[in-house]
Amino acid sequence: MVVLVDENTKVVVQGITGRYGKFHAEKMMKYGTKILAGVTPGKGGQEVLGVPVFDTVKEAKEKFPEINTSIIFVPAAGAADAIIEAVDAGLELIVVITEGIPVHDSLKAIRYARNKGSVVVGPNCPGVITPGKAKVGIMPEKYFTPGPVGIVSRSGTLTYEIAYQLTKRGIGQTTAIGIGGDPIIGLDTVEAVKLMDQDPETQVIVVIGEIGGDAEERLAAAIKRGEIRKPVVAYVAGRTAPPGKRMGHAGAIISMGAGTAESKVRAFREAGVPVADIPSQVPDLVEQVLKK
Amino acid sequence: MVVLVDENTKVVVQGITGRYGKFHAEKMMKYGTKILAGVTPGKGGQEVLGVPVFDTVKEAKEKFPEINTSIIFVPAAGAADAIIEAVDAGLELIVVITEGIPVHDSLKAIRYARNKGSVVVGPNCPGVITPGKAKVGIMPEKYFTPGPVGIVSRSGTLTYEIAYQLTKRGIGQTTAIGIGGDPIIGLDTVEAVKLMDQDPETQVIVVIGEIGGDAEERLAAAIKRGEIRKPVVAYVAGRTAPPGKRMGHAGAIISMGAGTAESKVRAFREAGVPVADIPSQVPDLVEQVLKK
Amino acid sequence: MKLLEYEAKEIAKKYGIPIPQGILIERPEQVNEAIEELGLPVVLKAQVPVAGRGKAGGVKLAKDPDEALEKAEQLFSMEIKGYPVLSVLVEKAENIKRELYLSFTIDRANRRIIMLASGEGGMEIEELAKEKPEAIIKLPIEPEIGLKAHEAREVGKKIGLSGNDLRQFEHIAKSMYKIFIDYDAELVESNPLAITDRGLVALDFRMIVDDNAIFRHPELEAARERELTETEKVAIRYGFFYVELDGDIGIIGNGAGLTMATMDVVNYYGGKPPNFLDIGVGARRDRVKAAVRLLLRNPRVKVIFVNIFGGITLASEVALGIVEALKETEIKKPIVARIVGTAEEEGKKILQEAGIPLFESMDEAAKEAVRIAKEVAA
Amino acid sequence: MKLLEYEAKEIAKKYGIPIPQGILIERPEQVNEAIEELGLPVVLKAQVPVAGRGKAGGVKLAKDPDEALEKAEQLFSMEIKGYPVLSVLVEKAENIKRELYLSFTIDRANRRIIMLASGEGGMEIEELAKEKPEAIIKLPIEPEIGLKAHEAREVGKKIGLSGNDLRQFEHIAKSMYKIFIDYDAELVESNPLAITDRGLVALDFRMIVDDNAIFRHPELEAARERELTETEKVAIRYGFFYVELDGDIGIIGNGAGLTMATMDVVNYYGGKPPNFLDIGVGARRDRVKAAVRLLLRNPRVKVIFVNIFGGITLASEVALGIVEALKETEIKKPIVARIVGTAEEEGKKILQEAGIPLFESMDEAAKEAVRIAKEVAA
């Protein structure tokens, strides 16, 4: 078993007729991901990349009842609506690539999804990849290889960087989940790590955190409470970032006293989690753990 | 058994320090209704009519866990909040006397109450009286006497009028429920009639309707479907009222094709319900039914 | 409270709903300037706060400036359902391909907001509901989440839209729902919502705002004032509820239900009430006095029938109000009274001393009022 | 996006929250007029979009006109955390009995809005959270029903309020919540919310609005502009993310996480980055060119370190952007690059041809950048 996506994942692409949507749908298909349909309101009846486009997710699901996953490329103003639409169509997994969604919209849509039992990954995330099986996301796939490491990351390119460094060392990945950098996200760090923890193939979990929020502190607390049984290795980006400034779209902002890199690193160390100072130390730490 | 209120009803009065609140609390107490506490935000610690005043319903309920009912006299702008407060305190019955509550506020508060299992009577209603046992409302009690007739009414003074005419003929009442004249109310005509239908002491149900909405049409349909087993007698006020004009606070407005007096009278007659042309015919019709 | 079309359209515009280009004029001559800016043909629309304006001749098309001036003059001389035409909205005529209907309102029975849409716009929804109910699509809205974009889109498909029209329909529906919420509306309606050369356009746009929520929208007070006749304004000042009707037996009651029932009883015995006047809850003598004076001054009223069931309202205060009104006015009209309830005895005594006939039952009182009205008329 | 105090207070006023009487001035001399209208004593408050203004000396009390002018002059000559003081809010000093804290913000972990209140206002909430966490009352809010009046009241009781103060607290909390929702806020805060002679008054009032929701609040665009330094405005025009810091190694990365990690690596090897510059997703050569030029023109920057992991971003476009920027500027600075990912080979070739040193790992590249910076500095 692997986490969230695999060969049984059947995908609808919301926003398939847009530039990014189409570009990445094609890359996903090439990777072997089973994309059955696309949705763009007002473009129902067209065909893109050989798959039919529908006006609504409901119609796509009626035509292809096996669809269980959506990936959303819809522009920010309509992305929350797209999430709600996917939830109402009964999809199990909804990966939201869109960045810049207003936080009040995310609050509403993600709460709705959680109440109805759909898993949302993102928004503002690179998606999920299970190397060799399926990719529901936008990550450059060639830096990921199958293996024993689960990756949970709040970052995009930094995830690729660390996967690449692992892969160069010959350490592959079960699944990598980019949970997204927005203040409000669906699947959070603790939940994603717990999914990895339950996956029999995952032997080590790499957590890539960053400043802002208290996700890393909460994960450390869960580890301390014994809720995670597998070894965890962490890196926290932003030790050099000044407080009170927003670092890019990522919503990495430090406020309310919590969320500094120091606080996160301290919490991890107190929970017995080895923390890399810089990304290149991650493979070393993983190797040490795997050797045990 | 009687409907909604009886000797086991233990009341908190929300808005007890206001003029109306105090006036009617006193009349209810004289009638024998068990009022244990009052609530007015900011006036906690005072005493009115010998009962303690609290800042919140929660505090009143903590002090008197037997409280199961609230009557609300809070001004319109805060009345929806007062309903939500009573619901959160776990009260079973909430009688809302306040008139002029914005309809969007009522929508929200009443939906909340229904989801949480509290019964709201009103808003903009005279309340509930079980003659000889308890009165949670503002009706002049002397026109009501114990007996076999249940009254369900959308009107205030017209309810007193019809109860008075029944009482003059020696026909008493089990319970009279003024469900309120607002577009959005809690307990509706059909639900109130069903409560009466299940009450072993009630032999006939008098329904006092008025123009606007489709409550009477829905009741007639329920009767046709056999959902009400007891005989029903009806009167519909407003046969002379012109369409499209709002008749007083009551929200009696005809629009969207439904809600005319003719449509309601026709629906009742088709369901086999005798309909009085004018209020004074109601006692005749009730007598005829009781004789059968 | 009904907004005028141009007021509702200003709000629509603010929320990104396409509306025709238009200019409000307050004198017929101004139509020329409007045409210069808008071009021809134009549609002239009387601004009155009532539905059914089109049928009443309040909307006119003009193809040249002379016709426009002539029709503007016609409109400004009209009175529609009791409202004089004080302003006219001049709009550039749109090239209409198809007319749709879209509205949001409150579904009382189910206690929620509902969206109504139809592929057959233009007709009044009440008529459509009677003639072709299957052409109306109803979408109930969960308040916790609001109007869902995809559900609006599904409705759009059901009424036959596709492509850009479908996207625009979704957008307009979401905007109208937002207006409905933001403005405490009871109705937000576009009829017709037209498919034109330039996409969907709300040719007409109506809004009714909840009177009880005006305190949250002080900017709309003016609209409320305007909706009332002069007499109704007096009523509001004193706190009673007054609706003018045809007929000759002036009715004063307390409570909407009882007052309507009193009208019904008068009607049952062959009379015709000229008004609905509910003095409301807990009226004191001043309010009653103002109510009686209002009816005394109404030339249609031949006799006044006061029917009070005192609960919070004290019968004695009502009686004092009546007597004081009679004392202070020159106009004399017969009064018939029936008073029951709180402070009944005192009230009866006051009226008896003033020589006003009293009845025990509303039926007897109504019969007497009808008799007097016929006598006066003869 | 942080509103200035006076902007946030205008909104507070519109929502019925009591605020001190105040006048905004844009030149020190105007303080006299303000005093004439307000009376003495007054509080002068520098209008800058940053927290911690009080500690930085941006708030001053004045008891007479001379003192007021002197302090106004002082304020207008200040720069607080990089922002020159362009306007000062002059407020009538209130008679303060007690200071409270009240705010609404987003609880990320639980994905909901939360109200924070404390009977101990005035201090920054971060400090209070550290020193006396038990003095902060947290109230999570169910979005479906919103802030419940009675829950706000219960919090008011917990922080020691009663009587009219309690009622007013409930009212202010409800208004602040409404502002939070209506304005897509990330923070609405009153600190201190003071108990004064005339009841509760929001002495300070702060609002941060979600940058991503500005499209719904076009009237706030101006505020967003103001919050940015000139260089940051250039960045926004080209679509990258730029934050100025101290240091001498200019960093260009793609993606916030990788860019922060790059800064961390530079720091790890003993360097100091003067900025955070994330070219964002899918940058094309124009954007990269603008980014490189920005760093070339920054006198603090001694060396530029470009670290790109191409996903959507094409390495070739990044390379072309760098080369073009170098061609078009007079200023020459050493550049170190590390490029991986999509179109890596093409990108590398372009840079090699331009003579830019390339590294396989970010660690090696960072070490080289640090070495160069030290060399240039020496």
Side-chain angles (χ1 to χ4, degrees):
Chain A
M1 204 202 88
V2 286
V3 180
L4 289 176
V5 306
D6 61 16
E7 57 274 35
N8 300 314
T9 299
K10 307 283 162 64
V11 181
V12 60
V13 179
Q14 289 178 260
I16 197 170
T17 58
R19 193 161 64 96
Y20 280 156
K22 191 176 165 190
F23 178 80
H24 286 291
E26 190 167 9
K27 296 195 87 177
M28 285 186 272
M29 286 164 107
K30 278 192 188 146
Y31 196 69
T33 306
K34 293 172 184 96
I35 293 180
L36 306 189
V39 167
T40 299
K43 303 211 168 161
Q46 298 185 8
E47 196 172 277
V48 167
L49 305 169
V51 302
V53 179
F54 297 90
D55 283 320
T56 64
V57 178
K58 195 178 168 190
E59 289 168 305
K61 176 86 177 167
E62 276 163 10
K63 187 69 192 288
F64 301 102
E66 63 270 38
I67 289 174
N68 51 20
T69 299
S70 170
I71 180 163
I72 293 180
F73 291 97
V74 169
D81 284 334
I83 296 171
I84 291 167
E85 177 167 3
V87 172
D88 280 350
L91 304 191
E92 292 155 29
L93 175 65
I94 302 164
V95 176
V96 189
I97 305 300
T98 311
E99 61 177 334
I101 303 180
V103 67
H104 287 233
D105 292 4
S106 295
L107 268 180
K108 181 173 142 182
I110 288 170
R111 186 171 169 103
Y112 185 74
R114 292 176 72 92
N115 285 342
K116 302 263 176 173
S118 296
V119 173
V120 173
V121 173
N124 187 15
C125 81
V128 186
I129 186 167
T130 296
K133 294 190 173 165
K135 161 182 143 171
V136 181
I138 60 170
M139 55 287 280
E141 56 283 342
K142 65 174 172 178
Y143 304 103
F144 296 83
T145 42
V149 178
I151 300 180
V152 171
S153 172
R154 288 173 62 191
S155 174
T157 41
L158 183 56
T159 313
Y160 318 156
E161 175 75 41
I162 289 176
Y164 178 42
Q165 299 199 9
L166 288 167
T167 293
K168 277 201 289 186
R169 291 271 197 107
I171 306 169
Q173 304 89 40
T174 46
T175 296
I177 310 176
I179 60 168
D182 273 6
I184 297 297
I185 52 172
L187 190 78
D188 68 17
T189 305
V190 175
E191 293 166 335
V193 168
K194 284 188 177 171
L195 287 179
M196 296 290 185
D197 197 43
Q198 277 152 32
D199 169 40
E201 293 178 24
T202 301
Q203 293 174 33
V204 191
I205 305 164
V206 169
V207 174
I208 305 168
E210 59 183 43
I211 51 170
D214 63 351
E216 293 79 6
E217 287 88 340
R218 281 183 295 119
L219 174 62
I223 293 169
K224 249 189 171 171
R225 286 193 303 270
E227 293 171 21
I228 316 289
R229 283 152 187 275
K230 287 184 184 156
V232 173
V233 164
Y235 169 69
V236 178
R239 292 193 184 191
T240 333
K245 285 275 186 182
R246 188 185 289 259
M247 296 290 119
H249 268 180
I253 186 170
I254 309 173
S255 63
M256 297 297 291
T260 62
E262 289 67 39
S263 135
K264 293 170 191 304
V265 170
R266 194 184 330 113
F268 276 134
R269 294 208 164 127
E270 282 171 13
V273 172
V275 184
D277 289 319
I278 52 175
S280 57
Q281 293 175 350
V282 172
D284 302 337
L285 296 175
V286 170
E287 261 180 357
Q288 284 167 26
V289 171
L290 284 173
K291 272 180 201 154
K292 275 183 201 164
Chain B
M1 204 201 86
V2 286
V3 180
L4 290 175
V5 307
D6 60 17
E7 57 275 34
N8 299 316
T9 299
K10 308 283 163 63
V11 181
V12 59
V13 178
Q14 288 178 261
I16 198 170
T17 58
R19 194 161 63 94
Y20 280 155
K22 190 174 166 193
F23 176 80
H24 286 291
E26 191 166 12
K27 295 195 88 178
M28 284 186 272
M29 285 164 108
K30 278 192 188 147
Y31 195 70
T33 307
K34 292 171 185 100
I35 293 179
L36 306 189
V39 167
T40 299
K43 302 210 169 164
Q46 297 184 9
E47 197 171 275
V48 167
L49 305 169
V51 303
V53 178
F54 297 90
D55 283 321
T56 64
V57 178
K58 193 176 168 189
E59 290 168 304
K61 176 87 177 166
E62 276 163 8
K63 187 69 192 288
F64 302 103
E66 63 270 39
I67 289 174
N68 51 20
T69 299
S70 169
I71 181 164
I72 293 179
F73 292 96
V74 170
D81 284 334
I83 296 171
I84 292 167
E85 177 167 5
V87 172
D88 280 350
L91 304 191
E92 293 156 27
L93 175 64
I94 302 164
V95 176
V96 189
I97 305 301
T98 310
E99 60 175 335
I101 303 179
V103 67
H104 286 232
D105 292 3
S106 295
L107 268 180
K108 180 173 143 181
I110 287 171
R111 186 170 169 104
Y112 186 74
R114 292 175 73 91
N115 285 344
K116 301 264 175 172
S118 297
V119 173
V120 173
V121 174
N124 188 17
C125 82
V128 187
I129 186 167
T130 295
K133 293 189 173 164
K135 164 183 142 170
V136 180
I138 60 169
M139 55 287 280
E141 56 284 343
K142 66 174 172 178
Y143 304 103
F144 294 82
T145 44
V149 178
I151 299 180
V152 171
S153 172
R154 286 174 62 190
S155 173
T157 43
L158 183 56
T159 312
Y160 318 159
E161 174 76 41
I162 289 176
Y164 179 42
Q165 298 198 11
L166 287 168
T167 293
K168 277 201 290 186
R169 290 271 197 108
I171 306 169
Q173 303 88 40
T174 46
T175 296
I177 310 175
I179 60 169
D182 272 7
I184 297 297
I185 52 172
L187 190 77
D188 69 15
T189 305
V190 175
E191 293 166 334
V193 168
K194 284 188 177 172
L195 288 178
M196 295 290 185
D197 198 43
Q198 277 153 30
D199 169 41
E201 292 177 23
T202 301
Q203 293 173 36
V204 191
I205 305 163
V206 169
V207 174
I208 305 168
E210 61 185 37
I211 51 170
D214 63 351
E216 294 79 6
E217 287 88 340
R218 281 184 295 120
L219 174 62
I223 292 169
K224 251 190 168 170
R225 287 194 301 270
E227 293 172 20
I228 316 289
R229 283 148 188 276
K230 287 181 185 162
V232 172
V233 164
Y235 169 68
V236 178
R239 292 194 185 193
T240 332
K245 284 275 187 182
R246 188 184 289 258
M247 298 287 118
H249 267 181
I253 188 169
I254 310 173
S255 63
M256 299 295 293
T260 63
E262 289 69 39
S263 135
K264 292 170 191 303
V265 169
R266 193 184 330 115
F268 276 137
R269 294 209 165 126
E270 282 172 15
V273 172
V275 183
D277 289 319
I278 51 175
S280 57
Q281 293 175 350
V282 171
D284 302 336
L285 296 175
V286 170
E287 258 178 359
Q288 283 168 28
V289 170
L290 284 173
K291 272 180 200 156
K292 276 183 201 166
Chain C
M1 195 202 60
K2 299 184 188 90
L3 299 193
L4 289 179
E5 181 192 10
Y6 82 90
E7 294 168 319
K9 278 186 170 165
E10 271 170 22
I11 293 169
K13 196 177 174 184
K14 205 171 81 183
Y15 281 74
I17 298 170
I19 53 168
Q21 215 190 326
I23 290 170
L24 188 77
I25 63 171
E26 286 170 343
R27 292 192 316 277
E29 316 84 75
Q30 291 173 325
V31 79
N32 288 321
E33 285 166 52
I35 287 174
E36 268 175 40
E37 195 164 329
L38 300 171
L40 283 161
V42 290
V43 182
L44 306 174
K45 303 162 96 177
Q47 300 297 291
V48 282
V50 286
R53 169 187 63 174
K55 269 193 192 160
V59 177
K60 297 184 187 294
L61 180 75
K63 291 192 185 109
D64 61 59
D66 289 345
E67 191 186 1
L69 183 62
E70 189 191 317
K71 293 198 168 161
E73 277 164 355
Q74 280 170 26
L75 286 176
F76 275 103
S77 67
M78 283 175 78
E79 193 179 280
I80 299 176
K81 298 190 182 177
Y83 294 93
V85 176
L86 301 175
S87 58
V88 166
L89 181 61
V90 184
E91 287 185 340
K92 181 150 177 56
E94 300 273 351
N95 204 336
I96 301 166
K97 295 182 189 166
R98 199 180 147 201
E99 295 188 331
L100 313 172
Y101 175 91
L102 181 59
S103 76
F104 290 82
T105 185
I106 288 166
D107 173 359
R108 292 170 170 219
N110 297 302
R111 301 178 192 79
R112 62 188 172 194
I113 298 165
I114 191 167
M115 178 174 111
L116 301 177
S118 176
E120 319 216 355
M123 206 192 291
E124 271 188 57
I125 189 74
E126 287 85 348
E127 286 171 53
L128 190 62
K130 265 184 222 156
E131 289 174 24
K132 245 187 158 180
E134 74 285 357
I136 301 175
I137 311 292
K138 293 178 186 174
L139 175 68
I141 295 163
E142 295 170 40
E144 290 79 6
I145 194 83
L147 176 67
K148 294 173 184 170
H150 71 94
E151 291 188 345
R153 203 184 314 135
E154 283 156 19
V155 171
K157 293 204 83 171
K158 281 185 193 155
I159 63 170
L161 302 180
S162 63
N164 268 336
D165 293 344
L166 182 63
R167 293 174 73 107
Q168 241 195 316
F169 180 83
E170 175 187 325
H171 165 74
I172 291 171
K174 288 205 75 174
S175 298
M176 282 173 68
Y177 177 74
K178 194 156 183 345
I179 291 173
F180 193 88
I181 299 299
D182 288 355
Y183 282 87
D184 278 293
E186 291 180 333
L187 176 74
V188 174
E189 181 185 74
S190 180
N191 185 23
L193 172 63
I195 304 181
T196 72
D197 292 347
R198 60 182 185 108
L200 263 59
V201 176
L203 288 195
D204 199 1
F205 200 77
R206 296 213 312 137
M207 281 176 65
I208 302 178
V209 173
D210 180 6
D211 286 322
N212 289 333
I214 293 293
F215 71 93
R216 289 200 283 245
H217 310 280
E219 74 281 11
L220 301 179
E221 267 300 341
R224 174 148 74 166
E225 277 288 301
R226 189 194 40 229
E227 200 181 322
L228 305 167
T229 62
E230 282 308 312
T231 327
E232 285 167 347
K233 280 180 199 165
V234 173
I236 283 211
R237 193 163 67 237
Y238 284 97
F240 49 82
F241 307 99
Y242 182 76
V243 180
E244 280 188 321
L245 311 168
D246 279 335
D248 51 13
I249 301 173
I251 307 275
I252 294 179
N254 67 324
L258 183 63
T259 310
M260 285 195 289
T262 309
M263 288 162 65
D264 293 347
V265 173
V266 164
N267 192 61
Y268 185 79
Y269 290 112
K272 215 171 169 204
N275 71 290
F276 167 93
L277 197 161
D278 168 11
I279 56 169
V281 171
R284 306 215 160 202
R285 71 187 79 171
D286 280 358
R287 197 193 290 171
V288 177
K289 198 164 96 182
V292 173
R293 287 168 61 113
L294 197 68
L295 295 194
L296 285 174
R297 279 201 301 268
N298 181 339
R300 272 206 289 259
V301 171
K302 302 213 167 55
V303 52
I304 297 173
F305 173 14
V306 181
N307 184 21
I308 299 295
F309 203 112
I312 298 173
T313 311
L314 303 177
S316 52
E317 285 288 319
V318 174
L320 283 168
I322 296 172
V323 172
E324 285 183 16
L326 289 176
K327 262 191 210 153
E328 291 176 17
T329 335
E330 294 287 293
I331 318 161
K332 301 291 168 207
K333 284 182 186 174
I335 294 192
V336 166
R338 184 261 187 164
I339 288 188
V340 196
T342 319
E344 177 180 327
E345 292 315 316
E346 279 169 80
K348 282 183 174 168
K349 209 176 140 222
I350 293 161
L351 292 178
Q352 263 161 353
E353 282 169 7
I356 291 167
L358 278 163
F359 295 84
E360 274 308 306
S361 88
M362 58 193 279
D363 292 62
E364 291 312 310
K367 281 185 210 163
E368 175 64 7
V370 172
R371 193 194 60 74
I372 295 171
K374 284 188 179 151
E375 204 178 83
V376 175
Chain D
M1 196 202 60
K2 299 183 189 93
L3 299 194
L4 289 179
E5 181 191 12
Y6 81 92
E7 294 168 318
K9 277 185 170 168
E10 270 171 21
I11 293 169
K13 197 177 174 185
K14 205 171 82 183
Y15 280 74
I17 298 171
I19 53 168
Q21 216 191 324
I23 290 169
L24 188 77
I25 64 171
E26 285 170 342
R27 293 192 315 277
E29 315 84 77
Q30 292 173 323
V31 78
N32 288 321
E33 286 166 50
I35 288 174
E36 266 173 41
E37 196 165 327
L38 300 171
L40 284 160
V42 289
V43 182
L44 306 175
K45 303 162 96 177
Q47 300 298 288
V48 282
V50 286
R53 169 187 64 176
K55 270 194 190 158
V59 177
K60 298 186 186 294
L61 181 76
K63 292 195 183 101
D64 60 59
D66 289 346
E67 192 185 2
L69 183 62
E70 190 190 318
K71 293 198 168 159
E73 278 164 353
Q74 279 170 26
L75 287 176
F76 275 102
S77 66
M78 283 175 80
E79 192 178 281
I80 299 177
K81 300 191 182 176
Y83 293 92
V85 177
L86 301 175
S87 58
V88 166
L89 181 61
V90 184
E91 286 186 339
K92 180 149 178 58
E94 300 273 350
N95 202 335
I96 300 165
K97 294 181 188 165
R98 199 180 146 202
E99 295 188 331
L100 313 172
Y101 174 91
L102 181 58
S103 76
F104 290 82
T105 185
I106 288 167
D107 173 359
R108 294 172 170 217
N110 297 300
R111 300 177 192 80
R112 63 189 172 194
I113 297 165
I114 192 168
M115 178 174 111
L116 301 176
S118 176
E120 320 215 354
M123 205 192 290
E124 271 187 61
I125 190 73
E126 286 85 350
E127 286 173 53
L128 189 64
K130 265 184 222 158
E131 289 175 24
K132 244 186 157 183
E134 74 286 356
I136 301 175
I137 311 291
K138 293 179 186 173
L139 175 68
I141 295 164
E142 294 169 41
E144 289 80 7
I145 194 82
L147 176 67
K148 293 174 184 170
H150 71 93
E151 290 188 345
R153 204 185 313 136
E154 284 156 18
V155 170
K157 293 203 83 168
K158 280 185 194 155
I159 63 170
L161 302 180
S162 62
N164 268 336
D165 293 344
L166 182 63
R167 294 173 73 106
Q168 240 195 315
F169 180 82
E170 175 187 327
H171 165 74
I172 291 171
K174 287 205 73 172
S175 297
M176 283 173 66
Y177 178 73
K178 196 157 183 346
I179 291 172
F180 192 87
I181 299 298
D182 289 355
Y183 283 86
D184 279 292
E186 290 180 333
L187 176 74
V188 174
E189 181 185 74
S190 179
N191 185 23
L193 172 64
I195 304 181
T196 72
D197 292 347
R198 59 182 185 108
L200 263 59
V201 176
L203 289 196
D204 199 0
F205 200 77
R206 296 212 314 137
M207 280 174 67
I208 302 178
V209 173
D210 181 5
D211 286 323
N212 289 334
I214 293 293
F215 72 94
R216 289 200 283 245
H217 309 281
E219 74 279 11
L220 301 179
E221 266 301 341
R224 176 151 73 166
E225 277 288 300
R226 188 194 40 231
E227 201 180 319
L228 305 167
T229 63
E230 282 308 312
T231 326
E232 285 167 346
K233 280 181 202 168
V234 172
I236 284 211
R237 193 163 66 235
Y238 284 97
F240 49 80
F241 307 98
Y242 182 76
V243 180
E244 281 188 320
L245 310 169
D246 280 335
D248 51 13
I249 300 175
I251 307 275
I252 293 178
N254 66 325
L258 182 64
T259 310
M260 286 195 289
T262 309
M263 288 162 65
D264 293 347
V265 173
V266 165
N267 192 63
Y268 184 81
Y269 290 112
K272 215 172 171 205
N275 71 292
F276 167 93
L277 198 160
D278 168 11
I279 56 169
V281 171
R284 304 218 159 201
R285 70 187 81 170
D286 280 358
R287 197 193 288 170
V288 177
K289 198 164 96 181
V292 174
R293 287 168 62 111
L294 197 70
L295 295 193
L296 285 174
R297 280 201 301 268
N298 182 339
R300 272 206 289 259
V301 171
K302 302 213 168 55
V303 51
I304 296 173
F305 173 14
V306 180
N307 184 21
I308 299 295
F309 204 111
I312 298 173
T313 310
L314 302 177
S316 53
E317 284 288 319
V318 173
L320 283 169
I322 296 171
V323 171
E324 285 183 18
L326 288 176
K327 262 190 209 154
E328 290 175 20
T329 335
E330 294 286 292
I331 318 161
K332 302 288 167 207
K333 285 182 184 173
I335 295 192
V336 166
R338 184 261 187 166
I339 288 186
V340 196
T342 319
E344 178 181 327
E345 292 315 316
E346 277 170 77
K348 282 184 174 165
K349 208 176 141 222
I350 292 162
L351 292 178
Q352 263 163 351
E353 282 170 7
I356 292 166
L358 277 164
F359 295 84
E360 275 305 307
S361 87
M362 57 194 278
D363 292 62
E364 291 312 311
K367 281 185 208 162
E368 174 64 8
V370 172
R371 191 193 63 73
I372 295 172
K374 284 190 178 147
E375 203 178 85
V376 175

